[in-house]
PDB file of all heavy atoms in Angstrom:
ATOM      1  N   LEU K 172     -29.354  97.096   2.432  1.00 95.00           N
ATOM      2  CA  LEU K 172     -29.686  95.721   2.799  1.00 95.00           C
ATOM      3  C   LEU K 172     -29.690  94.748   1.629  1.00 95.00           C
ATOM      4  O   LEU K 172     -29.619  93.544   1.840  1.00 95.00           O
ATOM      5  CB  LEU K 172     -31.061  95.693   3.489  1.00 95.00           C
ATOM      6  CG  LEU K 172     -31.219  96.603   4.708  1.00 95.00           C
ATOM      7  CD1 LEU K 172     -32.674  96.627   5.167  1.00 95.00           C
ATOM      8  CD2 LEU K 172     -30.298  96.141   5.824  1.00 95.00           C
ATOM      9  N   GLY K 173     -29.824  95.296   0.422  1.00 96.00           N
ATOM     10  CA  GLY K 173     -29.844  94.441  -0.761  1.00 96.00           C
ATOM     11  C   GLY K 173     -31.260  94.111  -1.202  1.00 96.00           C
ATOM     12  O   GLY K 173     -32.214  94.258  -0.434  1.00 96.00           O
ATOM     13  N   PRO K 174     -31.408  93.626  -2.451  1.00 96.00           N
ATOM     14  CA  PRO K 174     -32.739  93.427  -3.033  1.00 96.00           C
ATOM     15  C   PRO K 174     -33.537  92.268  -2.430  1.00 96.00           C
ATOM     16  O   PRO K 174     -34.755  92.243  -2.545  1.00 96.00           O
ATOM     17  CB  PRO K 174     -32.445  93.162  -4.516  1.00 96.00           C
ATOM     18  CG  PRO K 174     -31.044  92.624  -4.524  1.00 96.00           C
ATOM     19  CD  PRO K 174     -30.339  93.317  -3.397  1.00 96.00           C
ATOM     20  N   MET K 175     -32.887  91.328  -1.777  1.00 96.00           N
ATOM     21  CA  MET K 175     -33.589  90.160  -1.258  1.00 96.00           C
ATOM     22  C   MET K 175     -33.936  90.270   0.232  1.00 96.00           C
ATOM     23  O   MET K 175     -34.582  89.385   0.776  1.00 96.00           O
ATOM     24  CB  MET K 175     -32.751  88.895  -1.500  1.00 96.00           C
ATOM     25  CG  MET K 175     -32.434  88.647  -2.975  1.00 96.00           C
ATOM     26  SD  MET K 175     -33.894  88.653  -4.042  1.00 96.00           S
ATOM     27  CE  MET K 175     -34.656  87.151  -3.533  1.00 96.00           C
ATOM     28  N   HIS K 176     -33.503  91.330   0.884  1.00 96.00           N
ATOM     29  CA  HIS K 176     -33.792  91.478   2.309  1.00 96.00           C
ATOM     30  C   HIS K 176     -35.303  91.642   2.498  1.00 96.00           C
ATOM     31  O   HIS K 176     -35.965  92.313   1.700  1.00 96.00           O
ATOM     32  CB  HIS K 176     -33.050  92.688   2.879  1.00 96.00           C
ATOM     33  CG  HIS K 176     -33.099  92.763   4.360  1.00 96.00           C
ATOM     34  ND1 HIS K 176     -34.176  93.296   5.036  1.00 96.00           N
ATOM     35  CD2 HIS K 176     -32.220  92.354   5.304  1.00 96.00           C
ATOM     36  CE1 HIS K 176     -33.956  93.223   6.339  1.00 96.00           C
ATOM     37  NE2 HIS K 176     -32.767  92.653   6.531  1.00 96.00           N
ATOM     38  N   PRO K 177     -35.872  91.027   3.544  1.00 96.00           N
ATOM     39  CA  PRO K 177     -37.329  91.126   3.763  1.00 96.00           C
ATOM     40  C   PRO K 177     -37.859  92.564   3.839  1.00 96.00           C
ATOM     41  O   PRO K 177     -38.963  92.835   3.344  1.00 96.00           O
ATOM     42  CB  PRO K 177     -37.541  90.405   5.097  1.00 96.00           C
ATOM     43  CG  PRO K 177     -36.382  89.466   5.213  1.00 96.00           C
ATOM     44  CD  PRO K 177     -35.232  90.145   4.517  1.00 96.00           C
ATOM     45  N   ASP K 178     -37.087  93.487   4.430  1.00 96.00           N
ATOM     46  CA  ASP K 178     -37.546  94.880   4.488  1.00 96.00           C
ATOM     47  C   ASP K 178     -37.613  95.491   3.091  1.00 96.00           C
ATOM     48  O   ASP K 178     -38.586  96.174   2.752  1.00 96.00           O
ATOM     49  CB  ASP K 178     -36.634  95.723   5.385  1.00 96.00           C
ATOM     50  CG  ASP K 178     -36.763  95.379   6.855  1.00 96.00           C
ATOM     51  OD1 ASP K 178     -37.704  94.640   7.230  1.00 96.00           O
ATOM     52  OD2 ASP K 178     -35.913  95.836   7.641  1.00 96.00           O
ATOM     53  N   THR K 179     -36.587  95.245   2.290  1.00 96.00           N
ATOM     54  CA  THR K 179     -36.564  95.771   0.921  1.00 96.00           C
ATOM     55  C   THR K 179     -37.753  95.238   0.133  1.00 96.00           C
ATOM     56  O   THR K 179     -38.459  95.995  -0.545  1.00 96.00           O
ATOM     57  CB  THR K 179     -35.246  95.383   0.207  1.00 96.00           C
ATOM     58  OG1 THR K 179     -34.142  95.748   1.030  1.00 96.00           O
ATOM     59  CG2 THR K 179     -35.126  96.060  -1.146  1.00 96.00           C
ATOM     60  N   VAL K 180     -37.988  93.950   0.240  1.00 97.00           N
ATOM     61  CA  VAL K 180     -39.100  93.309  -0.475  1.00 97.00           C
ATOM     62  C   VAL K 180     -40.442  93.886  -0.011  1.00 97.00           C
ATOM     63  O   VAL K 180     -41.325  94.171  -0.827  1.00 97.00           O
ATOM     64  CB  VAL K 180     -39.042  91.776  -0.276  1.00 97.00           C
ATOM     65  CG1 VAL K 180     -40.281  91.100  -0.848  1.00 97.00           C
ATOM     66  CG2 VAL K 180     -37.777  91.204  -0.907  1.00 97.00           C
ATOM     67  N   SER K 181     -40.576  94.089   1.303  1.00 96.00           N
ATOM     68  CA  SER K 181     -41.814  94.636   1.854  1.00 96.00           C
ATOM     69  C   SER K 181     -42.059  96.065   1.371  1.00 96.00           C
ATOM     70  O   SER K 181     -43.185  96.394   0.963  1.00 96.00           O
ATOM     71  CB  SER K 181     -41.727  94.611   3.388  1.00 96.00           C
ATOM     72  OG  SER K 181     -42.832  95.269   3.947  1.00 96.00           O
ATOM     73  N   TYR K 182     -41.031  96.905   1.396  1.00 97.00           N
ATOM     74  CA  TYR K 182     -41.183  98.288   0.939  1.00 97.00           C
ATOM     75  C   TYR K 182     -41.532  98.335  -0.549  1.00 97.00           C
ATOM     76  O   TYR K 182     -42.388  99.118  -0.958  1.00 97.00           O
ATOM     77  CB  TYR K 182     -39.924  99.098   1.208  1.00 97.00           C
ATOM     78  CG  TYR K 182     -39.457  99.138   2.649  1.00 97.00           C
ATOM     79  CD1 TYR K 182     -38.130  99.405   2.958  1.00 97.00           C
ATOM     80  CD2 TYR K 182     -40.318  98.897   3.710  1.00 97.00           C
ATOM     81  CE1 TYR K 182     -37.680  99.448   4.270  1.00 97.00           C
ATOM     82  CE2 TYR K 182     -39.886  98.925   5.031  1.00 97.00           C
ATOM     83  CZ  TYR K 182     -38.553  99.194   5.301  1.00 97.00           C
ATOM     84  OH  TYR K 182     -38.124  99.231   6.598  1.00 97.00           O
ATOM     85  N   GLU K 183     -40.894  97.472  -1.325  1.00 97.00           N
ATOM     86  CA  GLU K 183     -41.174  97.429  -2.764  1.00 97.00           C
ATOM     87  C   GLU K 183     -42.611  97.006  -3.015  1.00 97.00           C
ATOM     88  O   GLU K 183     -43.312  97.587  -3.853  1.00 97.00           O
ATOM     89  CB  GLU K 183     -40.202  96.494  -3.456  1.00 97.00           C
ATOM     90  CG  GLU K 183     -40.414  96.416  -4.969  1.00 97.00           C
ATOM     91  CD  GLU K 183     -39.446  95.461  -5.637  1.00 97.00           C
ATOM     92  OE1 GLU K 183     -39.062  94.445  -5.028  1.00 97.00           O
ATOM     93  OE2 GLU K 183     -39.081  95.727  -6.803  1.00 97.00           O
TER      94      GLU K 183
END
Side-chain angles (χ1 to χ4, degrees):
L172 305 172
M175 301 307 290
H176 190 278
D178 290 349
T179 309
V180 172
S181 173
Y182 303 157
E183 181 181 33

